[in-house]
Amino acid sequence: MRLTVATILIGASLTSVVFAFAPVRSLRPEARDGEAVTVGQSAGISLADASSLRGVAKPVIKPVLQKERRVTPEEILAMTSEPSFPDWVVAFRQRAGAAGITETTLDAALKDLRYLPKVVERDRNQSEFTKTLWDYLDSAASDARIANGQKALAKHLRSLEAIERRYGVDKEIVAAIWGLESAYGAFRGDTPILSALASLAYDPRRSVFFETQLIGALRIIQSGDVTVPEMTGSWAGAMGHTQFMPTSFLDYAVDFDGDGKRDIWSDDPSDALASTAAYLAGFGWTKDQPWGVEVRLPEGFEYELANRSILKSPADWGRLGVVGTDGRAVPGHGAGSILLPAGAQGAAFMIFDNFAVLERYNTADAYVIGVGHLADRIKGGGPIVAKWPRQDRALTGDERRELQERLTGAGFSTQGVDGKIGPNTIDAIRGFQRAAGLIPDGYASLALLKRLRG
Ligand SMILES: [Ca+2]
C-alpha cells in the first residue's frame, strides 16, 4: 500500500495504465510518491510518472560502491561534486537523530546499511510501457487469482470476518488487495528495506520522498515491531502482505492479533490484512456499498454525462435509461457517476464513493477496477459482461503527448502537454469529438490520434 499514494499517476488514461516495470509479481499498477497517501512504488508495477521522467534533468550518476561495472568518466566527474554513499550516511544520521531516532536505533539500523545499485537502476529505468485495461484485468482477475482468493478467504475466514466487523471493510475487498499486492502473501519481497530506501534517498531523483520513508522505517524499528533483518520488502520500500510503505505503516498499521507487534511481514497475514482494512476505513470506506457496478447505457445516451463530477442517484440514472446488466435499475447505493474506462466501445460502470477510497491505495482506474472486480469474483459474481475493444492497443507516452499537442493545435487546449490523460485532456477530446460529429466519450484512442493526424 503504498499507502503512500503519491500519485504519479501517469498516464492512466481512462483506459490504459502505464506501467513502469513489467509486472513481475505484484499487480500494483502504480508508483506514487510524494504526498500523504503514498502508495509505494514498490516493486511490481509502477506507473511511471511521465513528467518525472522527462522534464526533470537527468540525475547525475552517483559513484557506484559495488564493483558491478566500470565507472564511467561522467561518474568520476560526478564524484567530485556528490557525496559518497558513506558520507551521505554520516550526514543522514544527523538528520535522523534530529528527527527523533535514537542512537541505539541508528547503531543497529545503519550498521549493515548497503548501497544497492540495482534498486537505483530500477527506479531510474522505469521505461514507459503501456498495458490496456483489459489486459490488466485479465491478469488481475484471472481464474487462478480468483480461485486462490477464494481459498485464501476460506483459510483465513475467521480473521477476515473479525477484521470486517472491527473496521467495517468488506472481507472480499481486503482479500482482493492482498491478491493484487502479493498474490495472497506469496510475494512479499525479500529486499532489505533500509538499504533499499537509503539507496533511493541517496539518489537525487526522489531523495526527499525516500528519505522521509527511510526515517519512517527507522521509527518502525525503534517501535520494536520488527527487527532490522526481518524488515524486508519490495525494492522501492513497500512491505509485507499488502505492501505498505513505512509512512503508511506508521499511520495505519495495527496489531490485530494482540501480540504487541504490528507484524505485516510474517506468514500470519492477520496484522497486514487488518492494517489494510484500517487504511480503507481511515479514508471512509462504506461497508456493503459496491465500488461500482457494470451498467448498460441507453441508445442516444448523452456521453457528456459520463463524467466523474456528475453525480446522480441510481434512481435518477435509471430515469435516464442507465440500468444494470440485468436490465433493472441499479439498487440505491448513494450517488454515483458513470465511468467509461474504454470509451463508448467498452464496459460502462456506475461508480460510488468507495471507488475514491480505493484510489487512495492507487489512483489508476485499472487498479481500482481490478481490486473491485476481483473482490466481486471472489464473492461469486460473474465476469464483466460488455466486450472490450481488444483490437485497440494502448497509446504510448509519446503518442499521448502527440495527441495533446494536436488537440491543442486544433483549438482544443489540453492545458499543457504531459502525457497524462486527465480531466483537461478529456474535455479537449470531447470538444474535438463534438466538433467532428463523433461520440463525445472523451476516450483517448489510437483512432482518435489518427484522425487528428488527418
Ligand atoms: Ca501482532
Side-chain angles (χ1 to χ4, degrees), residues 255 257 259 261 271:
D255 170 24
D257 66 5
D259 71 349
K261 293 181 179 182
D271 284 4

Side-chain angles (χ1 to χ4, degrees), residues 91-319:
F92 168 74
R93 190 179 170 117
Q94 296 287 321
R95 297 193 291 274
I101 308 299
T102 65
E103 289 300 307
T104 313
T105 301
L106 288 167
D107 284 343
L110 304 185
K111 178 164 54 82
D112 297 320
L113 204 65
R114 287 181 301 136
Y115 180 71
L116 303 176
K118 292 206 162 108
V119 165
V120 176
E121 265 170 49
R122 284 191 74 166
D123 190 53
R124 287 183 182 174
N125 298 333
Q126 302 187 23
S127 63
E128 277 184 304
F129 77 91
T130 51
K131 189 166 187 161
T132 59
L133 173 65
W134 42 95
D135 285 342
Y136 179 76
L137 292 177
D138 285 349
S139 169
S142 66
D143 289 346
R145 202 181 303 270
I146 293 164
N148 290 339
Q150 290 169 338
K151 271 182 233 158
L153 183 64
K155 183 173 173 190
H156 298 281
L157 191 60
R158 283 187 58 171
S159 289
L160 281 163
E161 284 182 337
I163 289 165
E164 183 178 271
R165 280 193 300 276
R166 185 175 308 176
Y167 298 101
V169 178
D170 306 72
K171 57 186 178 295
E172 294 84 3
I173 285 287
V174 175
I177 289 175
W178 187 22
L180 290 188
E181 295 296 337
S182 70
Y184 310 104
F187 301 113
R188 282 166 263 165
D190 55 9
T191 304
I193 287 295
L194 295 176
S195 288
L197 290 173
S199 302
L200 293 165
Y202 170 61
D203 187 75
R205 213 172 78 89
R206 293 192 281 166
S207 60
V208 172
F209 170 73
F210 285 113
E211 182 159 320
T212 301
Q213 295 301 328
L214 179 56
I215 289 176
L218 293 171
R219 278 191 218 293
I220 298 169
I221 297 287
Q222 190 157 294
S223 70
D225 289 297
V226 66
T227 64
V228 173
E230 288 166 342
M231 187 182 244
T232 57
S234 303
W235 68 267
M239 310 177 295
H241 290 265
T242 50
Q243 299 284 281
F244 268 56
M245 290 298 283
T247 51
S248 300
F249 179 102
L250 291 168
D251 289 342
Y252 294 100
V254 296
D255 170 24
F256 190 71
D257 66 5
D259 71 349
K261 293 181 179 182
R262 296 169 291 181
D263 183 359
I264 62 171
W265 296 269
S266 69
D267 290 341
D268 179 351
S270 309
D271 284 4
L273 299 179
S275 299
T276 295
Y279 181 86
L280 296 177
F283 284 107
W285 183 264
T286 304
K287 188 171 175 302
D288 296 327
Q289 181 193 72
W291 61 276
V293 296
E294 188 181 354
V295 292
R296 279 202 326 240
L297 305 179
E299 274 312 301
F301 179 69
E302 292 281 333
Y303 278 87
E304 279 89 347
L305 295 175
N307 184 322
R308 280 298 286 277
S309 62
I310 297 179
L311 293 159
K312 296 179 186 296
S313 70
D316 284 346
W317 283 120
R319 280 186 268 282

Side-chain angles (χ1 to χ4, degrees), residues 19-34:
F19 295 94
F21 302 96
V24 182
R25 298 175 162 167
S26 156
L27 271 182
R28 155 170 343 123
E30 176 182 5
R32 331 148 158 227
D33 71 40

Side-chain angles (χ1 to χ4, degrees), residues 387-405:
K387 298 284 178 268
W388 297 109
R390 287 184 180 268
Q391 72 285 356
D392 280 10
R393 65 167 174 80
L395 295 183
T396 64
D398 284 344
E399 286 169 341
R400 290 193 300 273
R401 284 179 284 276
E402 182 191 346
L403 179 77
Q404 292 174 321
E405 281 161 9

